[in-house]
Amino acid sequence: MPAEPASEKRERVLHRFAHELSAASGLPEAARLLAQAADELIGWDCCILELWDEEMHDFVFIYAVDIMEGKRTEVPVEFPPAPTPMLRAVAAHGPKLLLRDGLSGEEPKLIPFGDMKRRSASMLFVPIRQGGRVFGLFTTQSYTPQAYSQDDLTLLQTLADYGTGAIARIRAQEQLRASEERLRENQDRFRLALEVAAMGTWDWNIVSGEVHCSDNLGPLFGLPAREHFADYREFIERILPEDRAPMELALQRALETGEPFSHEFRVARANGQPAWLLGQGRCYAGPDGKIARLVGATLDITGRRQAQEALRASEERFAKVFHSGMAAISIADLETGRYLDVNQRWLEMLGFTREEVIGRTGLELGVWPVPADRERMLAALHSGGALRDWQCRWVRKDGQVIDAATSFETMAMGGRQYYIGLTHDITEKLKLEEELRQAHRMESVGQLAAGIAHDFNNILTIISGGAALILTGRLSEEAGRNATRQIQFAADRAAGLTRQLLTFSRRQVIQRRDLDLNAAVTNITQFLANLLGENIEVEMNFTPGLPFIHADPGMIEQVIMNLAVNARDAMPRGGRLAIRTELNETDTAFLTRRTGARRGRFVVLAVSDNGTGIGSSSTSRILSPPPRGCSAATVAVPAAGESTAGKNTRNVVPSPARLSTSTQPSCCLAMP
């Protein structure tokens, strides 16, 4: 049988290829038909068809065949991270013939696949193109050297061009099917998401009144699955009667203003139980610019509303306990210190609003006048879990400082540690206690007043007696002068007594001058006797020849009187008050004990008693400013104090010595 002419064979193969390709159902089948036609026309040992993927922005292998163990086998291909130079050259410049003649010469970079032990000797590369755009590459290869010619390259390009239209069509169909499948998947996911979220969507045509709904919307309104509303009126009638008017008002407002729609309402379910729904939507205008559609979604919020109602009821029960107590109660996070809740009494006690407090710390609010107190409180809670009847100070929002008695205890909530505090404002209680102490002091003042009245009566007796003798006119000149001197002496004593009273009442203007400390202490001896009473012995021990101090006599007397009053309170059954003066020089030990002290000579006034003393925790406040009504020694001079509870108290007032302009040794009343 004579051989078929090459031209007839070519026409036959191309015709059959075009016919079979038109019926191909997918790209793999189209690739096999293309490879089969190429094998009949030019032959090959391996071939590849790859197409450009727009979504991946890369070439994707559709078909790759090589001779493996003596038979043609489809093989996998791994793509390089970028198109090879050969692929770029063919896409840019057209078909290419590559013949390799041994191991010499530069090897082009190709994608390895199939049998890696052998290399192709003859290769044809033709683009798959449509309308001037390359969207694929078809390659045939042979292990035989010089297996292909330029005519073979032209024939393979003709074959590829024959299949271009069908391949593009099949590819477009597959992409369409893939898009439709993704759309269905997305729709299914959206439907499932709506079902899980108990949500349905709707599209209301304002002009026609029609309402298009998703299949999930009907069951939210008590309708069977996939049953839709016929129109807007049916939608409204499914809402509980008492909620219809507010719903229509909310819809009307959205249509008039174009603002987003959002409204909560109730519907009746098939079981007769009401359900809470949340409708939200957005308005869209038609071609004429008027609102034509309202599109949105409806969400079942029954569970949320029930949880809110349960929470509200729980909060009401808790609030009755939390807010009805007389104590100020707070709950805060133990780790961060931020307030979780406080009751009304707490807010009233410190003057804040709830919004100002919740979520903030006591330091941020400034309620701790001494931040170290808060740290000590937290340390105690971390170590022991509770703190009972702790007395501290708090600062109100208006800056007022109050005294408080607080108890704290830790508790666990939701896996976190919190502490709850119960606080009582004891400012008034302490004030009443101080008033009681002041009443006791007033009792002493009464005793003092009796002594003062006795002294004034003696003074007035001297003055009136001397004046009466002078008025008789029968006194000699010398006797008259003596009587006058007695009157003058009595007047001086009255002036001194008046000055001491003014000092005691803190009403005398400070007037500093050079002063003999021993004389100043001696002058107040009688006043102290009246102040302390008969059951307290006053012992004086003066160092003679002390330098003068530059100070106000009244303030010195006030210091002594304040210390004397404190000593008297510490000796309710009587005792001994010792007052001593001396001249000392500061040494290294004194400078170490006293912060801010300096070297020098100091006149020292020491006051001690054998009373009950005070505890070490209060020693630093021995001369703290006293409450209103008490004598105020500390406003005159700083001092040092020593005391032991149950034993005695010793107060020391040092004053630096200096020389005055009169060459007399003197000192200023001040701390070293």
Side-chain angles (χ1 to χ4, degrees):
M1 186 175 183
E4 182 181 16
S7 59
E8 293 181 6
K9 180 180 180 180
R10 184 185 64 183
E11 291 299 326
R12 177 179 58 78
V13 172
L14 292 177
H15 178 75
R16 190 195 72 219
F17 170 64
H19 176 72
E20 292 177 346
L21 190 61
S22 63
S25 60
L27 288 175
E29 182 181 355
R32 283 192 294 272
L33 293 173
L34 177 61
Q36 179 181 341
D39 189 33
E40 290 186 49
L41 292 175
I42 60 176
W44 51 264
D45 292 326
C46 55
C47 71
I48 298 175
L49 174 63
E50 50 191 303
L51 299 178
W52 177 257
D53 190 295
E54 291 290 347
E55 292 185 358
M56 298 178 61
H57 296 284
D58 200 355
F59 282 92
V60 176
F61 280 98
I62 304 300
Y63 188 71
V65 175
D66 194 5
I67 297 177
M68 306 290 292
E69 298 181 354
K71 63 178 181 180
R72 288 176 174 174
T73 305
E74 289 193 33
V75 293
V77 181
E78 293 186 4
F79 278 95
T84 63
M86 177 61 72
L87 189 60
R88 289 196 298 267
V90 173
H93 305 295
K96 187 173 181 64
L97 167 65
L98 179 62
L99 301 175
R100 294 194 288 200
D101 52 355
L103 301 177
S104 62
E106 181 179 356
E107 291 289 327
K109 186 175 182 181
L110 302 174
I111 301 174
F113 74 99
D115 188 352
M116 310 297 288
K117 298 178 182 179
R118 296 186 299 171
R119 67 172 190 163
S120 299
S122 305
M123 290 171 280
L124 298 175
F125 302 89
V126 296
I128 306 297
R129 55 198 177 185
Q130 185 180 38
R133 185 176 70 88
V134 175
F135 67 91
L137 182 70
F138 183 58
T139 304
T140 62
Q141 303 178 18
S142 173
Y143 296 121
T144 303
Q146 305 296 323
Y148 298 136
S149 64
Q150 191 66 38
D151 291 340
D152 293 330
L153 180 64
T154 302
L155 180 57
L156 188 63
Q157 182 65 71
T158 301
L159 180 64
D161 291 341
Y162 259 75
T164 296
I167 292 175
R169 172 185 58 78
I170 295 172
R171 185 186 187 199
Q173 290 174 343
E174 289 192 352
Q175 290 176 340
L176 177 60
R177 285 195 294 269
S179 298
E180 291 175 344
E181 182 62 26
R182 287 195 298 270
L183 177 60
R184 282 192 295 270
E185 290 177 356
N186 290 336
Q187 289 175 336
D188 289 341
R189 283 195 293 267
F190 181 64
R191 178 181 54 79
L192 291 174
L194 292 178
E195 291 179 356
V196 172
M199 179 185 296
T201 60
W202 42 267
D203 184 349
W204 175 28
N205 188 313
I206 309 300
V207 178
S208 66
E210 294 179 337
V211 179
H212 297 280
C213 309
S214 68
D215 294 339
N216 311 81
L217 186 65
L220 297 180
F221 286 79
L223 296 174
R226 302 183 181 276
E227 183 172 330
H228 298 168
F229 296 112
D231 53 25
Y232 167 74
R233 291 314 312 171
E234 184 179 354
F235 164 74
I236 291 296
E237 289 173 358
R238 299 297 305 183
I239 300 173
L240 291 184
E242 55 268 32
D243 288 359
R244 292 174 187 171
M247 165 61 85
E248 293 192 283
L249 183 62
L251 288 170
Q252 187 64 32
R253 186 182 303 111
L255 295 177
E256 291 176 353
T257 63
E259 296 178 352
F261 161 75
S262 181
H263 186 69
E264 295 183 4
F265 57 98
R266 291 171 299 168
V267 298
R269 292 280 172 82
N271 58 7
Q273 295 297 320
W276 277 98
L277 303 180
L278 169 63
Q280 292 182 316
R282 185 177 296 275
C283 297
Y284 293 91
D288 58 356
K290 297 180 180 180
I291 301 298
R293 295 169 60 198
L294 182 61
V295 181
T298 298
L299 174 66
D300 187 342
I301 60 170
T302 304
R304 189 186 78 184
R305 290 297 296 250
Q306 290 174 344
Q308 290 175 342
E309 181 62 26
L311 178 61
R312 185 192 62 79
S314 176
E315 288 178 345
E316 286 183 357
R317 291 192 297 270
F318 177 76
K320 290 179 180 179
V321 177
F322 191 70
H323 295 292
S324 62
M326 296 300 294
I329 306 176
S330 62
I331 302 175
D333 190 296
L334 183 60
E335 179 181 352
T336 65
R338 300 193 179 279
Y339 285 109
L340 178 67
D341 200 2
V342 295
N343 68 354
Q344 188 62 31
R345 181 70 188 96
W346 193 98
L347 297 172
E348 293 172 353
M349 183 179 74
L350 295 177
F352 289 95
T353 64
R354 185 174 302 278
E355 291 74 16
E356 293 172 326
V357 174
I358 303 304
R360 302 180 67 188
T361 67
L363 289 179
E364 292 172 347
L365 295 173
V367 300
W368 291 96
V370 182
D373 287 347
R374 175 179 178 271
E375 299 305 319
R376 285 192 291 270
M377 178 268 291
L378 291 176
L381 292 180
H382 279 292
S383 61
L387 192 61
R388 296 283 186 270
D389 298 326
W390 181 47
Q391 188 167 328
C392 58
R393 286 192 158 189
W394 295 63
V395 180
R396 287 174 47 84
K397 181 181 178 181
D398 58 12
Q400 178 186 352
V401 179
I402 63 172
D403 294 284
T406 305
S407 295
F408 293 101
E409 186 161 344
T410 58
M411 61 180 182
M413 288 193 305
R416 292 186 64 85
Q417 286 292 318
Y418 296 88
Y419 65 89
I420 183 169
L422 279 75
T423 304
H424 292 276
D425 185 350
I426 61 172
T427 306
E428 286 299 320
K429 176 177 176 290
L430 296 181
K431 181 179 178 181
L432 291 175
E433 290 177 353
E434 181 57 33
E435 289 177 354
L436 179 59
R437 286 191 292 270
Q438 182 66 12
H440 292 162
R441 287 179 177 269
M442 292 304 297
E443 181 180 353
S444 299
V445 170
Q447 181 181 350
L448 173 64
I452 294 295
H454 178 73
D455 287 349
F456 263 110
N457 186 60
N458 292 339
I459 291 171
L460 291 175
T461 299
I462 295 173
I463 293 174
S464 61
L469 290 174
I470 293 173
L471 290 174
T472 60
R474 295 195 293 270
L475 295 179
S476 63
E477 183 177 348
E478 181 63 25
R481 282 197 294 271
N482 288 335
T484 302
R485 281 194 293 271
Q486 289 294 324
I487 293 174
Q488 183 64 47
F489 174 75
D492 290 341
R493 284 189 60 191
L497 193 58
T498 300
R499 177 173 50 78
Q500 292 173 351
L501 287 173
L502 289 175
T503 298
F504 189 76
S505 65
R506 301 172 62 187
R507 293 185 178 275
Q508 180 170 327
V509 178
I510 296 177
Q511 295 179 347
R512 292 184 176 88
R513 60 183 176 85
D514 287 349
L515 179 67
D516 183 347
L517 183 59
N518 289 342
V521 176
T522 302
N523 290 339
I524 201 174
T525 302
Q526 183 59 43
F527 194 84
L528 287 177
N530 294 330
L531 181 65
L532 299 176
E534 298 178 354
N535 60 342
I536 295 179
E537 176 188 355
V538 179
E539 179 183 303
M540 302 288 187
N541 188 0
F542 299 146
T543 298
L546 290 177
F548 284 2
I549 63 173
H550 191 72
D552 179 88
M555 290 296 99
I556 293 296
E557 293 173 356
Q558 186 171 342
V559 169
I560 298 171
M561 285 189 291
N562 191 74
L563 296 176
V565 169
N566 289 342
R568 182 202 63 198
D569 292 344
M571 300 183 290
R573 295 184 177 85
R576 184 182 72 257
L577 177 69
I579 302 176
R580 176 172 55 83
T581 63
E582 59 186 32
L583 181 64
N584 284 338
E585 289 194 16
T586 55
D587 56 13
T588 303
F590 180 81
L591 295 175
T592 303
R593 293 194 309 270
R594 297 290 295 173
T595 303
R598 56 187 173 86
R599 295 184 182 276
R601 301 173 65 215
F602 290 85
V603 174
V604 177
L605 170 65
V607 180
S608 61
D609 63 71
N610 61 350
T612 57
I614 61 176
S616 59
S617 62
S618 302
T619 302
S620 61
R621 302 195 301 272
I622 286 177
L623 291 178
S624 296
R628 176 184 291 181
C630 301
S631 54
T634 53
V635 300
V637 58
E642 301 174 359
S643 180
T644 302
K647 294 184 179 180
N648 52 34
T649 301
R650 177 175 178 265
N651 296 286
V652 180
V653 182
S655 303
R658 67 179 176 86
L659 294 178
S660 67
T661 55
S662 62
T663 71
Q664 292 277 4
S666 65
C667 67
C668 293
L669 194 60
M671 274 298 296

